[in-house]
mmCIF file of all heavy atoms in Angstrom:
data_model
loop_
_atom_site.group_PDB
_atom_site.id
_atom_site.type_symbol
_atom_site.label_atom_id
_atom_site.label_comp_id
_atom_site.label_asym_id
_atom_site.label_seq_id
_atom_site.Cartn_x
_atom_site.Cartn_y
_atom_site.Cartn_z
ATOM 1 N N VAL A 1 15.243 48.476 101.359
ATOM 2 C CA VAL A 1 14.850 49.905 101.321
ATOM 3 C C VAL A 1 16.072 50.601 100.807
ATOM 4 O O VAL A 1 17.211 50.475 101.218
ATOM 5 C CB VAL A 1 14.458 50.418 102.755
ATOM 6 C CG1 VAL A 1 14.288 51.858 102.692
ATOM 7 C CG2 VAL A 1 13.332 49.636 103.263
ATOM 8 N N ARG A 2 15.683 51.497 99.755
ATOM 9 C CA ARG A 2 16.723 52.323 99.192
ATOM 10 C C ARG A 2 16.516 53.779 99.548
ATOM 11 O O ARG A 2 15.255 54.159 99.345
ATOM 12 C CB ARG A 2 16.879 52.081 97.716
ATOM 13 C CG ARG A 2 17.255 50.667 97.274
ATOM 14 C CD ARG A 2 17.674 50.655 95.902
ATOM 15 N NE ARG A 2 16.571 51.043 94.963
ATOM 16 C CZ ARG A 2 15.655 50.445 94.377
ATOM 17 N NH1 ARG A 2 15.440 49.122 94.977
ATOM 18 N NH2 ARG A 2 14.710 50.893 93.645
ATOM 19 N N ALA A 3 17.463 54.483 99.837
ATOM 20 C CA ALA A 3 17.336 55.837 100.169
ATOM 21 C C ALA A 3 18.311 56.732 99.314
ATOM 22 O O ALA A 3 19.502 56.265 99.339
ATOM 23 C CB ALA A 3 17.453 56.275 101.706
ATOM 24 N N GLY A 4 17.997 57.725 98.674
ATOM 25 C CA GLY A 4 18.919 58.508 97.963
ATOM 26 C C GLY A 4 18.836 59.956 98.281
ATOM 27 O O GLY A 4 17.670 60.604 98.462
ATOM 28 N N VAL A 5 19.889 60.715 98.183
ATOM 29 C CA VAL A 5 19.885 62.168 98.305
ATOM 30 C C VAL A 5 20.296 62.786 97.059
ATOM 31 O O VAL A 5 21.180 62.457 96.373
ATOM 32 C CB VAL A 5 21.130 62.505 99.407
ATOM 33 C CG1 VAL A 5 21.116 64.068 99.568
ATOM 34 C CG2 VAL A 5 20.739 61.837 100.686
ATOM 35 N N PHE A 6 19.388 63.753 96.581
ATOM 36 C CA PHE A 6 19.555 64.450 95.329
ATOM 37 C C PHE A 6 19.750 65.917 95.571
ATOM 38 O O PHE A 6 19.078 66.590 96.461
ATOM 39 C CB PHE A 6 18.183 64.153 94.602
ATOM 40 C CG PHE A 6 18.221 62.768 94.034
ATOM 41 C CD1 PHE A 6 17.691 61.814 94.882
ATOM 42 C CD2 PHE A 6 18.457 62.403 92.692
ATOM 43 C CE1 PHE A 6 17.440 60.419 94.411
ATOM 44 C CE2 PHE A 6 18.291 61.092 92.296
ATOM 45 C CZ PHE A 6 17.784 60.050 93.148
ATOM 46 N N ASP A 7 20.380 66.584 94.632
ATOM 47 C CA ASP A 7 20.431 68.086 94.615
ATOM 48 C C ASP A 7 19.200 68.452 93.698
ATOM 49 O O ASP A 7 18.511 67.718 93.048
ATOM 50 C CB ASP A 7 21.750 68.572 94.256
ATOM 51 C CG ASP A 7 22.180 68.447 92.771
ATOM 52 O OD1 ASP A 7 21.302 68.056 92.009
ATOM 53 O OD2 ASP A 7 23.346 68.623 92.508
ATOM 54 N N LYS A 8 19.085 69.812 93.606
ATOM 55 C CA LYS A 8 17.891 70.353 92.926
ATOM 56 C C LYS A 8 17.959 70.121 91.465
ATOM 57 O O LYS A 8 17.059 70.368 90.723
ATOM 58 C CB LYS A 8 17.589 71.732 93.195
ATOM 59 C CG LYS A 8 18.665 72.775 92.821
ATOM 60 C CD LYS A 8 18.417 74.097 93.284
ATOM 61 C CE LYS A 8 17.056 74.655 92.781
ATOM 62 N NZ LYS A 8 16.675 75.998 93.306
ATOM 63 N N THR A 9 19.187 69.721 90.917
ATOM 64 C CA THR A 9 19.297 69.432 89.467
ATOM 65 C C THR A 9 19.116 68.017 89.166
ATOM 66 O O THR A 9 19.198 67.615 87.957
ATOM 67 C CB THR A 9 20.726 69.924 88.860
ATOM 68 O OG1 THR A 9 21.726 69.014 89.493
ATOM 69 C CG2 THR A 9 20.959 71.389 89.280
ATOM 70 N N GLY A 10 18.801 67.136 90.115
ATOM 71 C CA GLY A 10 18.508 65.698 89.950
ATOM 72 C C GLY A 10 19.756 64.894 89.972
ATOM 73 O O GLY A 10 19.632 63.619 89.703
ATOM 74 N N ILE A 11 20.860 65.434 90.394
ATOM 75 C CA ILE A 11 22.029 64.604 90.639
ATOM 76 C C ILE A 11 21.954 63.837 92.051
ATOM 77 O O ILE A 11 21.768 64.451 93.067
ATOM 78 C CB ILE A 11 23.352 65.440 90.575
ATOM 79 C CG1 ILE A 11 23.542 66.074 89.279
ATOM 80 C CG2 ILE A 11 24.590 64.617 90.940
ATOM 81 C CD1 ILE A 11 24.730 66.957 88.993
ATOM 82 N N MET A 12 22.234 62.577 91.921
ATOM 83 C CA MET A 12 22.143 61.770 93.252
ATOM 84 C C MET A 12 23.589 61.832 93.870
ATOM 85 O O MET A 12 24.550 61.343 93.285
ATOM 86 C CB MET A 12 21.751 60.250 92.935
ATOM 87 C CG MET A 12 21.521 59.497 94.197
ATOM 88 S SD MET A 12 20.455 57.983 93.976
ATOM 89 C CE MET A 12 21.574 57.040 92.782
ATOM 90 N N LEU A 13 23.582 62.289 95.183
ATOM 91 C CA LEU A 13 24.782 62.544 95.795
ATOM 92 C C LEU A 13 25.206 61.325 96.526
ATOM 93 O O LEU A 13 26.355 60.999 96.913
ATOM 94 C CB LEU A 13 24.731 63.746 96.734
ATOM 95 C CG LEU A 13 24.319 65.107 96.068
ATOM 96 C CD1 LEU A 13 24.316 66.181 97.048
ATOM 97 C CD2 LEU A 13 25.313 65.437 94.951
ATOM 98 N N ALA A 14 24.185 60.424 96.960
ATOM 99 C CA ALA A 14 24.402 59.336 97.868
ATOM 100 C C ALA A 14 23.314 58.515 97.893
ATOM 101 O O ALA A 14 22.118 58.882 97.629
ATOM 102 C CB ALA A 14 24.746 59.774 99.369
ATOM 103 N N ARG A 15 23.599 57.161 97.987
ATOM 104 C CA ARG A 15 22.500 56.116 97.961
ATOM 105 C C ARG A 15 22.837 55.005 98.895
ATOM 106 O O ARG A 15 23.991 54.549 98.879
ATOM 107 C CB ARG A 15 22.299 55.569 96.500
ATOM 108 C CG ARG A 15 21.325 54.431 96.364
ATOM 109 C CD ARG A 15 21.249 53.962 94.838
ATOM 110 N NE ARG A 15 20.319 52.909 94.502
ATOM 111 C CZ ARG A 15 20.668 51.681 94.475
ATOM 112 N NH1 ARG A 15 21.823 51.240 94.879
ATOM 113 N NH2 ARG A 15 19.765 50.745 94.245
ATOM 114 N N LYS A 16 21.895 54.737 99.711
ATOM 115 C CA LYS A 16 22.165 53.595 100.639
ATOM 116 C C LYS A 16 21.034 52.622 100.681
ATOM 117 O O LYS A 16 19.912 52.822 100.410
ATOM 118 C CB LYS A 16 22.258 54.152 102.204
ATOM 119 C CG LYS A 16 23.457 54.965 102.380
ATOM 120 C CD LYS A 16 24.758 54.120 102.320
ATOM 121 C CE LYS A 16 25.922 54.978 102.688
ATOM 122 N NZ LYS A 16 27.167 54.207 102.539
ATOM 123 N N VAL A 17 21.292 51.283 100.910
ATOM 124 C CA VAL A 17 20.427 50.175 100.769
ATOM 125 C C VAL A 17 20.470 49.433 102.114
ATOM 126 O O VAL A 17 21.507 49.047 102.673
ATOM 127 C CB VAL A 17 20.811 49.175 99.548
ATOM 128 C CG1 VAL A 17 19.765 48.138 99.511
ATOM 129 C CG2 VAL A 17 20.835 50.025 98.326
ATOM 130 N N GLU A 18 19.281 49.055 102.621
ATOM 131 C CA GLU A 18 19.157 48.391 103.772
ATOM 132 C C GLU A 18 18.140 47.104 103.598
ATOM 133 O O GLU A 18 17.124 47.296 102.977
ATOM 134 C CB GLU A 18 18.546 49.122 105.037
ATOM 135 C CG GLU A 18 19.592 50.290 105.448
ATOM 136 C CD GLU A 18 20.809 49.664 106.076
ATOM 137 O OE1 GLU A 18 20.660 48.593 106.681
ATOM 138 O OE2 GLU A 18 21.820 50.411 106.188
ATOM 139 N N PRO A 19 18.516 45.896 104.050
ATOM 140 C CA PRO A 19 17.651 44.718 103.651
ATOM 141 C C PRO A 19 16.403 44.771 104.670
ATOM 142 O O PRO A 19 16.425 45.311 105.702
ATOM 143 C CB PRO A 19 18.478 43.467 104.164
ATOM 144 C CG PRO A 19 19.447 44.101 105.027
ATOM 145 C CD PRO A 19 19.738 45.528 104.679
ATOM 146 N N LEU A 20 15.310 44.167 104.056
ATOM 147 C CA LEU A 20 14.061 44.098 104.763
ATOM 148 C C LEU A 20 13.857 42.689 105.167
ATOM 149 O O LEU A 20 14.304 41.648 104.567
ATOM 150 C CB LEU A 20 12.933 44.372 103.912
ATOM 151 C CG LEU A 20 12.624 45.844 103.795
ATOM 152 C CD1 LEU A 20 11.534 46.046 102.679
ATOM 153 C CD2 LEU A 20 12.224 46.600 105.003
ATOM 154 N N ARG A 21 13.199 42.359 106.323
ATOM 155 C CA ARG A 21 12.707 41.089 106.780
ATOM 156 C C ARG A 21 11.538 40.753 106.108
ATOM 157 O O ARG A 21 10.509 41.441 106.296
ATOM 158 C CB ARG A 21 12.615 41.143 108.347
ATOM 159 C CG ARG A 21 12.208 39.798 108.879
ATOM 160 C CD ARG A 21 11.945 39.853 110.376
ATOM 161 N NE ARG A 21 13.226 40.015 111.150
ATOM 162 C CZ ARG A 21 13.397 41.220 111.810
ATOM 163 N NH1 ARG A 21 12.612 42.165 111.806
ATOM 164 N NH2 ARG A 21 14.537 41.301 112.445
ATOM 165 N N LEU A 22 11.449 39.540 105.483
ATOM 166 C CA LEU A 22 10.113 39.162 104.754
ATOM 167 C C LEU A 22 9.872 37.635 105.197
ATOM 168 O O LEU A 22 10.753 36.799 105.004
ATOM 169 C CB LEU A 22 10.469 39.193 103.217
ATOM 170 C CG LEU A 22 9.427 38.544 102.319
ATOM 171 C CD1 LEU A 22 8.110 39.160 102.490
ATOM 172 C CD2 LEU A 22 9.946 38.633 100.748
ATOM 173 N N ARG A 23 8.747 37.457 105.566
ATOM 174 C CA ARG A 23 8.194 36.121 105.937
ATOM 175 C C ARG A 23 7.518 35.515 104.763
ATOM 176 O O ARG A 23 6.647 36.166 104.084
ATOM 177 C CB ARG A 23 7.417 36.135 107.092
ATOM 178 C CG ARG A 23 6.742 34.845 107.594
ATOM 179 C CD ARG A 23 5.993 34.933 108.870
ATOM 180 N NE ARG A 23 5.443 33.605 109.325
ATOM 181 C CZ ARG A 23 4.224 33.249 108.946
ATOM 182 N NH1 ARG A 23 3.364 34.105 108.321
ATOM 183 N NH2 ARG A 23 3.679 31.977 109.329
ATOM 184 N N ARG A 24 7.829 34.262 104.448
ATOM 185 C CA ARG A 24 7.161 33.608 103.197
ATOM 186 C C ARG A 24 6.370 32.318 103.662
ATOM 187 O O ARG A 24 7.048 31.251 103.771
ATOM 188 C CB ARG A 24 8.159 33.223 102.205
ATOM 189 C CG ARG A 24 8.950 34.318 101.608
ATOM 190 C CD ARG A 24 8.148 35.306 100.712
ATOM 191 N NE ARG A 24 7.529 34.528 99.614
ATOM 192 C CZ ARG A 24 7.897 34.536 98.417
ATOM 193 N NH1 ARG A 24 9.204 35.006 98.121
ATOM 194 N NH2 ARG A 24 7.325 33.881 97.547
ATOM 195 N N PRO A 25 5.201 32.635 104.260
ATOM 196 C CA PRO A 25 4.540 31.402 104.674
ATOM 197 C C PRO A 25 3.923 30.476 103.665
ATOM 198 O O PRO A 25 3.376 29.400 104.052
ATOM 199 C CB PRO A 25 3.315 32.039 105.545
ATOM 200 C CG PRO A 25 3.132 33.385 104.771
ATOM 201 C CD PRO A 25 4.467 33.873 104.373
#
């Protein structure tokens, strides 16, 4: 999962990434 914070001009001020749990049966 990626989350980004943007100002109203489209500049990304911060971005954080967190891993997901995925099962592969």
